[in-house]
Amino acid sequence: MLSPDYILSKFKDPVPRYTSYPTAPHFKPELGGTLIERLHSSIKEQERISVYVHVPFCDRLCWFCGCHTKHTLKYDPVEAYVSTLTQEIKLVSRRIGFAPLLGQVHFGGGSPSMLSAEDLSRLRIAFEGAFVIDSDTEISVEIDPSDGLNDTLLGLQQLGMTRASIGVQDFDPEVQTAINRPQTFEQTKSVVDDLRSVGIHSLNIDALYGLPLQDEVKIAKTMELIVSLAPDRVALFGYAHVPWMKKHQQMIKDEDLPGQQARFDQAELAAKMLIAAGYQKIGIDHFALPTDTLAIAANQKNMRRNFQGYTTDNCEILLPFGASSIGRFQDGYVQNIVPTGQYQAAIEKGELPAAKGMSLSLDDKIRAHIIERLMCDFEIRFNDLSKRFECAQPYIDELKSVASAEEDGLCEADGIKFTIPNNARPYTRIVAARFDAYLNKSGARYSKAV
């Protein structure tokens, strides 16, 4: 293992998580409307597309959260927002002109699990009127166990949910107090049991390291409890402390945060425990049972990376629904209006709510492919790059040049491929950043590299 002390002290600058390239801070306000029209017109009949639905509401505000969300104690604004979502779905459907096949649908937030059964049923009806949903459609929903399921469980069944993504973060009460997320193991297990009782057996659990007051003893206990729930996948993210972007993170005391070395040690300990429990490490921060589709995709080198992290979603088009939601197509990215009220006002006027966008040049597409394959496979084969892009040679030369200049063993190249060695994989984002042509062209600030 490369010395973490040395690497982390040498490469102190934060870097993107590379769930897209170029990253969202580089999207341009003037391009949203144009690009959403191009996105819709690029959809072909019989082509499977994916959908992301953003629900920007929580019944409590977790201080660690980096998502676009708002706290509400009343359900009325949530119900009104669902009405707007159904209007947006109809508006987009009219613009497309036919019913595309759905590959994957992901409900994120916020807390989609706070939606009532009635509203989840309304969304299912809206999607059935605009798209073709069949036995190959995967529908995943992010679930906060503290919402409780109650009648929502029936709604999730009516929605057609096939996969649940359950937020845990950490089970230690002291850590939970520091991030304003009280959530007992018993509460979480009850939700897991309820989901399995109605046939939802595909489960993902999200956990975090680098949280305030977290240490190796606490994270080890959390991993033990997570393993006892037997999820198919575990996403182990590093807490991104960005209080300049998310003001509620100012509630977290800087002195309570573990240092860079402690973060690294927590991540390594958690990974070892998950691997010992039979999980395969996927990319830089996911784990899956060998029989899970994500592990199979990783082994076959056709795993992808998008705004939800690592995924089996191979659809080229991602349609955005809801405030702040981001969409993707071959030639660019589109982001909806972020403020919920402004988003709803646009829909009420019959306007597409696209606000920002990024049109991709050929250079962007090649660099995006290089960065994604490094993040997913830890290598890029020169022959594959040449087959995909006719003008690949300058980029192959750049890959070889980066490898030849490497002093710390973070990457290497031979005549066949550029590789991030096993012992350097925790630092993959540092390597990927070397191919980011935008990194130093704006004042965007990112999270820690590990």
Side-chain angles (χ1 to χ4, degrees):
M1 173 64 70
L2 297 168
S3 168
D5 285 336
Y6 171 74
I7 297 297
L8 297 176
S9 63
K10 181 174 181 178
F11 301 100
K12 295 179 180 179
D13 292 340
V15 293
R17 292 179 182 266
Y18 292 116
T19 51
S20 73
Y21 178 84
T23 54
H26 301 288
F27 295 0
K28 296 177 173 56
E30 66 273 12
L31 290 178
T34 301
L35 289 178
I36 195 65
E37 295 282 4
R38 285 171 56 188
L39 188 162
H40 293 158
S41 64
S42 70
I43 300 173
K44 301 178 178 64
E45 293 193 51
Q46 304 307 312
E47 173 190 18
R48 284 196 182 270
I49 68 169
S50 291
V51 162
Y52 177 75
V53 184
H54 189 64
V55 181
F57 294 97
C58 295
D59 51 14
R60 66 176 176 192
L61 188 60
C62 302
W63 296 337
F64 71 88
C65 184
C67 302
H68 291 300
T69 188
K70 58 171 60 178
H71 177 222
T72 180
L73 295 177
K74 297 180 179 180
Y75 193 74
D76 290 352
V78 182
E79 184 178 10
Y81 181 81
V82 172
S83 295
T84 305
L85 278 175
T86 62
Q87 291 179 54
E88 184 186 9
I89 293 167
K90 292 175 184 177
L91 177 61
V92 170
S93 178
R94 289 196 296 269
R95 298 298 180 99
I96 295 173
F98 61 90
L101 285 163
L102 278 186
Q104 295 195 10
V105 183
H106 186 85
F107 286 80
S111 295
S113 54
M114 73 182 294
L115 297 185
S116 67
E118 181 181 354
D119 282 338
L120 288 166
S121 180
R122 281 205 291 158
L123 288 169
R124 173 71 186 207
I125 292 169
F127 274 110
E128 286 179 337
F131 301 97
V132 176
I133 301 173
D134 61 17
S135 59
D136 291 327
T137 304
E138 180 176 299
I139 300 176
S140 62
V141 182
E142 294 179 9
I143 291 177
D144 179 352
S146 68
D147 288 333
L149 292 185
N150 300 321
D151 74 326
T152 300
L153 188 63
L154 174 62
L156 292 171
Q157 290 177 274
Q158 293 171 337
L159 181 67
M161 182 177 73
T162 61
R163 177 179 294 277
S165 182
I166 301 169
V168 166
Q169 321 321 333
D170 190 287
F171 279 124
D172 183 81
E174 189 178 20
V175 174
Q176 290 180 354
T177 299
I179 61 175
N180 196 38
R181 190 185 175 91
Q183 177 181 322
T184 66
F185 171 74
E186 290 73 22
Q187 193 175 33
T188 306
K189 185 178 185 304
S190 176
V191 167
V192 169
D193 291 343
D194 285 345
L195 290 168
R196 286 180 169 146
S197 73
V198 296
I200 307 300
H201 296 291
S202 230
L203 300 178
N204 173 83
I205 285 182
D206 290 342
L208 288 174
Y209 65 87
L211 288 170
L213 305 181
Q214 203 173 38
D215 57 29
E216 291 186 44
V217 173
K218 292 173 182 175
I219 204 166
K221 181 61 177 177
T222 291
M223 290 302 112
E224 287 178 10
L225 293 173
I226 286 175
V227 167
S228 74
L229 296 173
D232 301 271
R233 304 176 187 175
V234 178
L236 179 68
F237 299 117
Y239 165 57
H241 191 56
V242 288
W244 56 88
M245 290 176 56
K246 300 297 176 182
K247 299 301 182 185
H248 53 264
Q249 289 191 355
Q250 294 176 5
M251 300 296 292
I252 293 176
K253 299 176 183 178
D254 288 345
E255 60 267 28
D256 288 342
L257 293 170
Q260 185 71 285
Q261 181 64 47
R263 283 172 61 95
F264 184 91
D265 292 341
Q266 288 175 15
E268 288 293 292
L269 173 61
K272 288 177 181 177
M273 293 183 67
L274 289 169
I275 291 169
Y279 290 85
Q280 176 183 328
K281 187 167 186 181
I282 308 293
I284 62 170
D285 51 20
H286 282 48
F287 299 80
L289 295 174
T291 53
D292 185 78
T293 54
L294 189 65
I296 294 169
N299 293 335
Q300 294 176 347
K301 296 191 181 298
N302 57 16
M303 182 172 67
R304 302 295 302 273
R305 187 165 173 84
N306 64 18
F307 299 102
Q308 285 75 59
Y310 291 108
T311 178
T312 59
D313 183 5
N314 283 306
C315 298
E316 291 298 326
I317 291 176
L318 174 69
L319 274 181
F321 289 103
S324 81
S325 183
I326 297 177
R328 179 200 68 238
F329 68 119
Q330 188 174 18
D331 292 326
Y333 298 101
V334 179
Q335 183 173 22
N336 280 351
I337 297 168
V338 174
T340 305
Q342 294 178 28
Y343 155 78
Q344 291 178 287
I347 297 296
E348 286 296 325
K349 291 187 287 186
E351 299 175 355
L352 294 171
K356 297 180 180 180
M358 186 74 184
S359 184
L360 300 181
S361 67
L362 180 58
D363 180 73
D364 292 333
K365 293 177 183 180
I366 297 173
R367 292 184 182 279
H369 178 73
I370 290 171
I371 288 172
E372 183 179 33
R373 292 339 304 160
L374 290 178
M375 295 294 295
C376 291
D377 303 332
F378 306 109
E379 68 175 30
I380 183 80
R381 291 182 174 269
F382 303 142
N383 188 46
D384 291 342
L385 196 62
S386 295
K387 287 179 180 179
R388 190 178 184 90
F389 302 102
E390 291 183 0
C391 57
Q393 192 56 51
Y395 299 90
I396 293 172
D397 293 341
E398 182 179 349
L399 286 158
K400 290 179 177 178
S401 177
V402 167
S404 65
E406 176 56 44
E407 299 176 343
D408 302 302
L410 298 185
C411 57
E412 58 192 29
D414 54 23
I416 298 174
K417 63 184 183 297
F418 176 99
T419 306
I420 299 174
N422 287 342
N423 63 349
R425 289 182 179 181
Y427 316 110
T428 296
R429 288 166 59 198
I430 295 172
V431 178
R434 295 176 183 176
F435 303 98
D436 185 341
Y438 293 88
L439 189 57
N440 298 315
K441 292 185 178 180
S442 78
R445 299 170 68 182
Y446 302 99
S447 58
K448 293 180 178 181
V450 176

